[in-house]
Amino acid sequence: MSGFSARTDFPRAWNALARALAERRERGLPLVDLTESNPTRVGLPAPEPALLATPEAFTYAPEPQGLLSAREAVAGYLAARGAPVSPEHLILSASTSEAYAWLFKLLCEPGDNVLVPAPSYPLFEYLTRLESVEIRPYRLPRAHGFGLDVEAVAEARDARSRAVLVVNPGNPTGHYLHEGELAALATLCADARLALISDEVFSDFAWAPEPDRVPTVAGRALPMPTFALSGLSKVAGLPGLKLGWTHVGGPPAVRDEALARLELVADTFLSVGTSVQQALPALLAHAPRFQAALLQRVKDNRQRLLAARPAQALWDVVHAHGGWSAVLRIPREPGEEATCLALLEAGVLVQPGYFYDFTGGAFLVLSLLPPPAAFEAALGVLVRVLEG
Ligand SMILES: Cc1ncc(COP(=O)(O)O)c(C=O)c1O
């Protein structure tokens, strides 16, 4: 008996990779970090710091849903993506992570569950558990390019399922939701009384036009409560400013009830700083400059990766359509952890697939954000180690 709650009793033991990394850092040995996903550390354009010094920066304007001027800026951002929405249906939070926590409070009793994609972003396990909510993974089939298979969602569901989480495009799999998949998902959600939570933080980072791609579920006439999430972390490359947004949609009566309840949750915390809200129109105006530079970086690094792969290699770059990462399929022997350790020994850090709950093979995940020279140098090592 520790006197602490069971839901904060997360496993904290270090795995072999974390131990080897700490040891390498302690010895001061050089390392190219191909897990770097912090957009503020890879030489991409940042806005002028003066943007945050708004004339009213030190006033306190407690507005549970967020300042109207900030919500209007988000509505403008969504309208430019083909989603005309009312600022009344938007709610700001201190990140999309916080928005998830609010949505789990809104939708779930303790012990209820939400359906989450696998492989995917590992934070869901923590975000749900901290709200006493369970997760039931639905597989994104590899045969389907790690895209959504609505039958897998239906099979994962049980009587206590309250919502389906969709990451569009997937992180790290980079597969977008398509119109046909959304239509099938909407039918399932309506029949099974499930809400839809759509994480669209990477939506702006498509590598090429793709017919039928769903950029956002905001502004759609969908038959279930629908929550579209995004924020400054990825859209403008500014995770340190702590501002995310949720568009609430669905049948009007349900939507309005959800908004009223979320407003109360938000009022309890009032967690978004006033100055970042005041600066939001200018920060979103900067986003296209950041996004253009990021997209060029990611596309160039992916090209470098594809070009570095020897024609007869036993490993492959998994096909994808967008996002900030690349997934490699590698031989099952020696497998993920041994390969990551061998790469670390040679001075390159990548993530093993199990970190994202990949199954059915061995995978590595690497960030496409690092500056070209570092990325190129790491590729030489990667190819040498993978070719044995
Ligand atoms: C798919 C996905 N959703 C949400 C987040 C978290 O974003 P935020 O900083 O807004 O909490 C991340 C961060 O990496 C992510 O990959």
Side-chain angles (χ1 to χ4, degrees):
M1 252 304 281
S2 63
F4 300 113
S5 69
R7 69 183 188 282
T8 52
D9 189 17
F10 290 103
R12 277 172 294 170
W14 282 22
N15 61 25
L17 189 59
R19 278 198 305 275
L21 177 61
E23 199 183 300
R24 190 173 176 92
R25 288 204 160 122
E26 225 162 79
R27 287 162 60 202
L29 296 174
L31 182 73
V32 182
D33 186 356
L34 290 191
T35 71
E36 181 60 88
S37 59
N38 181 338
T40 68
R41 285 204 197 125
V42 288
L44 293 170
E48 284 301 317
L51 290 189
L52 279 180
T54 57
E56 307 274 284
F58 295 115
T59 58
Y60 180 44
E63 273 291 333
Q65 276 189 240
L67 292 184
L68 181 59
S69 56
R71 285 182 286 125
E72 281 169 347
V74 176
Y77 162 87
L78 285 168
R81 277 134 191 93
V85 302
S86 162
E88 297 304 316
H89 301 154
L90 285 162
I91 186 152
L92 305 188
S93 55
S95 59
T96 48
S97 306
E98 185 178 61
Y100 275 116
W102 291 358
L103 292 175
F104 299 149
K105 291 182 211 301
L106 173 74
L107 298 167
C108 301
E109 302 296 347
D112 285 347
N113 65 66
V114 294
L115 308 174
V116 304
S120 191
Y121 174 60
L123 205 63
F124 295 138
E125 204 178 315
Y126 293 79
L127 289 169
T128 47
R129 186 164 152 178
L130 289 171
E131 301 300 326
S132 301
V133 170
E134 319 225 318
I135 48 176
R136 287 178 70 86
Y138 63 87
R139 300 301 316 173
L140 300 173
R142 186 161 67 83
H144 208 288
F146 295 108
L148 186 94
D149 172 2
V150 174
E151 273 174 35
V153 182
E155 276 164 27
R157 158 187 171 254
D158 74 5
R160 297 204 66 177
S161 302
R162 295 289 169 255
V164 184
L165 269 59
V166 169
V167 183
N168 177 30
N171 174 18
T173 44
H175 183 106
Y176 277 89
L177 184 70
H178 293 94
E179 290 294 345
E181 294 159 353
L182 177 59
L185 195 57
T187 304
L188 171 70
C189 288
D191 289 351
R193 299 176 61 81
L194 296 168
L196 174 65
I197 300 176
S198 175
D199 180 329
E200 300 168 353
V201 299
F202 289 110
S203 178
D204 289 343
F205 302 97
W207 301 334
E210 210 193 339
D212 280 351
R213 170 169 85 76
V214 176
T216 174
V217 297
R220 302 279 187 127
L222 290 165
M224 65 289 195
T226 304
F227 305 92
L229 272 48
S230 193
L232 283 184
S233 290
K234 307 292 189 278
V235 165
L238 297 168
L241 295 191
K242 306 305 296 176
L243 190 145
W245 54 83
T246 302
H247 175 268
V248 183
V254 182
R255 175 199 64 206
D256 292 347
E257 181 65 20
L259 277 164
R261 291 179 184 227
L262 281 173
E263 185 176 340
L264 216 119
V265 177
D267 198 17
T268 308
F269 296 98
L270 291 170
S271 48
V272 196
T274 302
S275 60
V276 68
Q277 295 186 59
Q278 289 166 344
L280 192 61
L283 294 168
L284 285 175
H286 150 83
R289 197 161 77 90
F290 162 76
Q291 292 190 1
L294 183 134
L295 265 175
Q296 197 59 52
R297 169 78 55 85
V298 159
K299 288 201 273 188
D300 288 350
N301 277 345
R302 189 172 169 89
Q303 252 345 95
R304 290 184 179 99
L305 173 63
L306 293 171
R309 180 183 176 275
Q312 306 304 323
L314 296 175
W315 55 278
D316 234 320
V317 183
V318 173
H319 193 64
H321 300 276
W324 295 8
S325 304
V327 179
L328 305 190
R329 183 148 190 260
I330 59 166
R332 280 177 193 264
E333 292 302 331
E336 294 177 358
E337 186 147 278
T339 305
C340 287
L341 285 169
L343 279 166
L344 186 57
E345 183 67 32
V348 172
L349 181 66
V350 301
Q351 285 172 322
Y354 69 74
F355 191 72
Y356 294 90
D357 199 10
F358 278 89
T359 56
F363 298 87
L364 300 180
V365 177
L366 45 102
S367 166
L368 293 170
L369 295 194
F375 193 79
E376 192 84 62
L379 280 185
V381 174
L382 185 82
V383 171
R384 184 160 46 78
V385 169
L386 287 179
E387 293 301 303

